[in-house]
């Protein structure tokens, strides 16, 4: 009995202030999930699974918690994304009709305007629909709008402040070409709450998927590069499989 109470106590504490991604294998590695209202950077090269990971986070919020998610993109076309995600069994059109999934195509200039004016359409959408989960896919072209590192950092910080004021837990994707290569922004990497990196690296004539948690503030997490699969049901992480490149 005491054991059971202690276990429930630990469980409650473990998930306190955490937003479960419900991505198989992930939450257990990071004390129950992403930190509530945190800004999480999902880095990776082309085809590493950034969009699938981010959409899975939103869809799982809808399915498991009945939480509305917003997906802001500069690059993805709605019809293409919706049809790609059908391949994972995720009916985004249905969730959109139910008001649980919000798709917003924004160009970087519009985001810049939003930062100057503060919120606008996105903000009213978020408060009206009580949005809890947010994805920006990807932040790279937005970052490229700003020529020098300092203005880029300032713009990113005001974007992060805005997201924080909305009370959302956010995943921002960004392109990284290969391991160790910094395409995004070195200073920004210091500003986000967590960095998750996805890999699809070649090894002996075949590509291997892997991921690592580079940092997560206030969280004990593994320092290893671990296995990952993409199947017809989405991303599945394999934390027990250590990957060496
Ligand atoms: N049904 C499926 N089963 C297995 N793997 C799949 C399936 N559908 C897509 N994939 C894999 O997922 C990859 C695409 O993932 P995703 O679009 O999330 O990558 P990304 O990192 O967002 O890429 P980009 O940088 O081009 O936006 C495909 O290239 C393919 O390897
Ligand atoms: Mg993508």
């Amino acid at each position: 009995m005491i054991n059971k109470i202690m276990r429930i106590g630990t469980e409650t504490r473990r998930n306190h202030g955490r937003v479960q991604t419900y991505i198989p294998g992930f939450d257990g590695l990071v004390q129950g999930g992403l930190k509530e209202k945190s800004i999480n950077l999902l880095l990776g090269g082309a085809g590493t699974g950034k969009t699938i990971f981010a959409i899975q986070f939103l869809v799982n919020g809808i399915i498991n918690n009945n939480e509305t998610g917003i997906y802001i993109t500069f690059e993805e076309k709605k019809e293409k994304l919706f049809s790609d995600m059908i391949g994972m069994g995720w009916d985004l059109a249905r969730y959109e009709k139910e008001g649980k999934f919000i798709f917003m195509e924004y160009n970087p200039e519009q985001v810049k305007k939003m930062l100057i004016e503060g919120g606008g359409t996105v903000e009213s959408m978020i408060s009206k629909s009580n949005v809890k989960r947010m994805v920006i896919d990807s932040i790279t072209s937005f970052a490229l709008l700003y020529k020098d590192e300092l203005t880029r950092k300032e713009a990113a910080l005001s974007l992060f402040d805005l997201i924080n004021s909305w009370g959302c837990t956010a995943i921002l994707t960004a392109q990284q070409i290969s391991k160790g290569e910094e395409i995004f922004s070195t200073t920004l990497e210091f500003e986000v709450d967590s960095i998750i990196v996805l890999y699809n690296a070649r090894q002996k004539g075949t590509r291997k998927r892997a991921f690592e948690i580079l940092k997560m503030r206030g969280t004990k997490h593994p320092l290893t590069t671990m296995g990952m699969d993409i199947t017809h049901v989405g991303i599945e992480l394999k934390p027990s499989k250590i990957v060496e490149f």
Side-chain angles (χ1 to χ4, degrees), residues 64-76:
N64 296 289
N65 299 356
N66 196 29
E67 284 174 353
T68 304
I70 190 165
Y71 177 85
I72 301 171
T73 185
F74 306 130
E75 290 129 28
E76 299 281 346

Side-chain angles (χ1 to χ4, degrees), residues 45-52 76 87-88 175 209 230-232:
T48 48
K50 301 182 294 297
T51 298
I52 295 172
E76 299 281 346
M88 302 285 147
Q175 273 134 39
R209 294 195 192 278
I230 301 180
T231 69
H232 64 287

Side-chain angles (χ1 to χ4, degrees), residues 23 26 34 39-45 48-57 135-140 170-176 184 189 192 194-199 210-213 215 228 235 237:
I23 292 175
F26 185 78
L34 301 175
I39 309 280
N40 304 278
L41 187 63
L42 184 62
L43 274 177
T48 48
K50 301 182 294 297
T51 298
I52 295 172
F53 190 108
I55 293 282
Q56 197 165 349
F57 167 69
V135 165
I136 302 182
D137 188 15
S138 77
I139 197 81
T140 309
I171 292 184
L172 318 181
T173 71
Q175 273 134 39
Q176 191 181 46
F184 185 56
E189 292 182 6
V192 292
S194 89
I195 302 177
I196 300 152
V197 194
L198 305 184
Y199 300 107
F211 79 103
E212 68 174 318
I213 298 156
K215 78 165 194 183
M228 166 181 147
I235 284 179
L237 304 174

